[in-house]
Amino acid sequence: MCGIVGYVGNNNAKDVIIDGLKRLEYRGYDSAGIAVIRDGKLQVRKHVGGIENLEALIGTDKLESHIGIGHTRWATHGAPSDVNAHPHTDQSGEIAIVHNGIIENYQELRQELIENYGVSFRSETDTEVIAQLIGVIYKEKKDLLDAVYGALEKMRGAYAIAAIAADEPDKIVAVRKDAPLIAGLGKGSNFIASDIPALLKYVKEIYLIENNEVVLVTADAVKIFDEQRNEVKRDVFHVTWDADAAEKEGYEHFMLKEIYEQPKGLADTLGRRLSPEGKIDLEGIALRKEEIEKLSKIYIVACGTAYHAGLVGKYVIEKLVKIPVEVDVASEFRYREPLIDENTLFVAISQSGETLDTLAALREAKAKGARVLSVVNVVGSSVARESDDVFYTWAGPEIAVASTKAYTTQLMCMYMLALYMGLEKGTIDRAYYDRFIADLKAVPDKLTEFLKDTEHIERLACRLYNKEQVFFIGRGLDAAVSYEGSLKLKEISYINSFAIAAGELKHGTIALMEPGTLVIALACQDFLYEKMVSNVQEIKARGAYVLAVAKEGNEAVGEQSDEIIYIPKIRDEIAPLLSVVPLQLFAYFVARERGCNIDKPKNLAKSVTVE
Ligand code: M6R
């Protein structure tokens, strides 16, 4: 998705902005650009493709300036091209803006600007409409802050915008409406950005900008104003990550680094809320016994990988807490008429906390009276801020587009939530709870051990990387993990992969089994193991090439399969914490073998802030 970086201060703006944009590259983008003010004039450079193209375009020009804005664009209105790239300027060339999000009434505004002000447009973007609109108002007001406020009255949509004016070379004016925006507080330098990692190298103290707020950034101050232009006081937010956490630290790709960070993420997520006596502490989350007892239904709503974590959540919450749980993808949930009342708990799961569909579903549920609990990784993100309660995953920054450690830490939160509610409600007893907690505590070490030797998976990937299609099958929780394994493979290797509950195969999909068809079969649920062995036999009988994943000691499925990967022995309910890892690694090694852009797969973005 698009990224914004703005800087005003003592250093050369171009260098700070390019560095910040590089740190946002992981979000996915197709063009990049920068605008600075030099000698009272705007200098705009933009180019389709990666930041290296932009750097090549700038060449040896230092673009010496103390103020500027930059952008990485992920095309929505108009194809990726030099002309559609941001920043966009107004007709007079005095205003430049960058923009994330969508202006819904841009066609109408565009027409008005053409008819009433004779504006001629260069690009197909909704963003140029904002630049032209601010430009027209600026002519009259001669004040950038006034002009931005004037434009806000006319625009509809979800956006974050940063603007500069050649005649006011000391300020950036930025605005947030339903798209993330932060301001970084430096010494003699201040910043604006769409995401924290862009600024981590420079600042740890930030202001989280709220919806409908306008920010005036100069080298000495950051002022925040509300819709009525009253100045707003904001607490400083201290970022606890360091810049290194967002670097590769010797790994070839962020994805691989993040796979290896899972033991730590799991230990941290568990450790943050587990007392030495083994009691889960949901401090700050209003889920007392009486409230849990009143709950008649739980919705878990999320997108992509987070949705897959929700599928596991449903299974364990229903099993341990005996409350019906519905899991839905946010883009569907928000457009149906879910049955929600004050006895409904709505759980939103999101790594970024900025996924627009999840946010919209959350708002819908809240408006209908549900209590909203979110499971989020990015502290201070929109989902976290709009929820009644937040259960943070402690995965640390996840940079690769393909989600790995966010998924396993989300699962950890699901288990803890289920255990906590089950014990409070009395649907599980203390002995069961204690054994479960002990098993959860053992996972980080088991995973560390497993990750010590991944050569077998790498070898398999090197042999199987050129398959045109792959099927993932499993039963119960293994089916949920199959969906995640399949998504991982398709998003980074571009192989057509498909996941299905193994029992469903013979209702249609088995028709696709041919000699050599690659099927990855998960058999990590002891109570469904024999059924799974039968499913494997059925597809083997049709010639499929089966790679099974099973717990150590369960050899029967290995005997029926062509290849086998063993995971450490583990309780069925929490097997997904381990069984997903070989699937993540398989996807990774296959994608590497195919020469894919693993951390930034084509057409995808890390944080999907558009519908
Ligand atoms: O930030 P979120 O967890 O809300 O993101 C949800 C999905 O966009 C995300 O999980 C996506 O499916 C990943 N690319 C999967 O690897």
Side-chain angles (χ1 to χ4, degrees), residues 303-306 349-353 355 401-403 410 487-488 491 608:
C303 303
T305 288
I349 309 181
S350 176
Q351 186 284 129
S352 62
T355 302
V401 165
S403 194
Q410 285 159 356
L487 176 64
K488 265 327 57 101
E491 71 178 325
V608 185

Side-chain angles (χ1 to χ4, degrees), residues 371-393:
R371 182 160 193 90
V372 175
L373 165 65
S374 61
V375 174
V376 176
N377 194 40
V378 177
V379 176
S381 57
S382 303
V383 169
R385 283 188 282 161
E386 295 195 27
S387 301
D388 296 306
D389 300 302
V390 188
F391 195 152
Y392 282 111
T393 49

